[in-house]
């Protein structure tokens, strides 16, 4: 295989991101620096800064390189099954290193660094939320959900308990917990017969 400049660039990028994850696991996010990554990866600091303006952006790209395709939604025609497949994958990812511990550190850093918060929202939170809402909209258009239901609220109800358990109580995320969330949510999202809608308090 010819060693082209593009191939060399891709190899260098991969080495930098792999080194970022290794160092992040070893020393933690607080002590991680672009200088340390550059030294271990054998790359110039300016090479890294041209691609990533901050260590938060570098860490986020490195984390996304591990998982992004695995968090796409399937579309089998069964909304609950598709949500379960995707959320199981997310829970499995968050439950193992290096993604889980480094993602939690990044979320913590975002609370007092607006640049990291913006990067996290732009590169991970918003794209994942948009995928969820798009899958819910398809199901609503197919009559699987009530047309009156707020899809943005549904997305928040789906993800809120996961973040609460991951970041606040720091309990282990399990498939059984995901099932409980889905059961509770879809009890209120499914279309109801006209008789049910006419009952007091049904709207």
């Amino acid at each position: 295989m010819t060693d082209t400049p593009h191939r060399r660039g891709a190899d260098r990028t991969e080495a930098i991101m792999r080194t970022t994850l290794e160092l992040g696991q070893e020393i933690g996010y607080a002590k991680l620096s672009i200088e340390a990554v550059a030294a271990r990866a054998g790359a110039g600091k300016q090479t890294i800064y041209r691609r990533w303006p901050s260590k938060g952006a570098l860490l986020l790209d490195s984390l996304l390189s591990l998982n992004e395709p695995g968090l796409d939604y399937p579309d089998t025609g069964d909304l609950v099954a598709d949500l379960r497949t995707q959320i199981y994958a997310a829970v499995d990812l968050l439950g193992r290193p290096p993604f889980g511990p480094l993602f939690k550190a990044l979320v913590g850093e975002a609370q007092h660094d607006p640049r990291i918060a913006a990067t996290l929202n732009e590169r991970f939170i918003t794209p994942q939320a948009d995928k969820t809402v798009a899958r819910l909209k398809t199901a609503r258009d197919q009559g699987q959900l009530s047309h009156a239901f707020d899809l943005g609220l549904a997305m928040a109800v789906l993800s809120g308990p996961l973040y609460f358990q991951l970041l606040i109580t720091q309990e282990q995320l399990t498939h059984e917990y995901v099932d409980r969330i889905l059961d509770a949510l879809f009890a209120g999202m499914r279309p109801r017969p006209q008789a049910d809608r006419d009952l007091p308090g049904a709207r």
Side-chain angles (χ1 to χ4, degrees), residues 16 21 34 36 51-52 55 60 72 75 77 83 89 93 103 130 150-151 153 158 161 183 189 200 202:
I16 290 168
L21 296 174
I34 285 181
R51 175 79 182 270
W52 297 282
K55 71 173 183 179
L60 188 55
D72 288 339
D75 187 353
L83 287 171
L93 183 69
F103 180 76
D130 288 347
D150 185 326
L151 299 185
L153 179 61
L158 277 169
D183 289 345
M189 283 215 308

Side-chain angles (χ1 to χ4, degrees), residues 20-76:
T20 300
L21 296 174
E22 290 171 355
L23 271 175
Q25 282 188 272
E26 290 174 19
I27 64 177
Y29 179 79
K31 295 181 179 179
L32 184 68
S33 68
I34 285 181
E35 289 74 16
V37 172
R40 179 176 290 194
K45 288 190 298 183
Q46 292 309 312
T47 298
I48 297 178
Y49 276 115
R50 277 197 297 270
R51 175 79 182 270
W52 297 282
S54 68
K55 71 173 183 179
L58 172 56
L59 178 58
L60 188 55
D61 265 358
S62 302
L63 289 173
L64 291 179
S65 73
L66 295 175
N67 79 95
E68 195 165 16
L71 294 186
D72 288 339
Y73 275 92
D75 187 353
T76 65

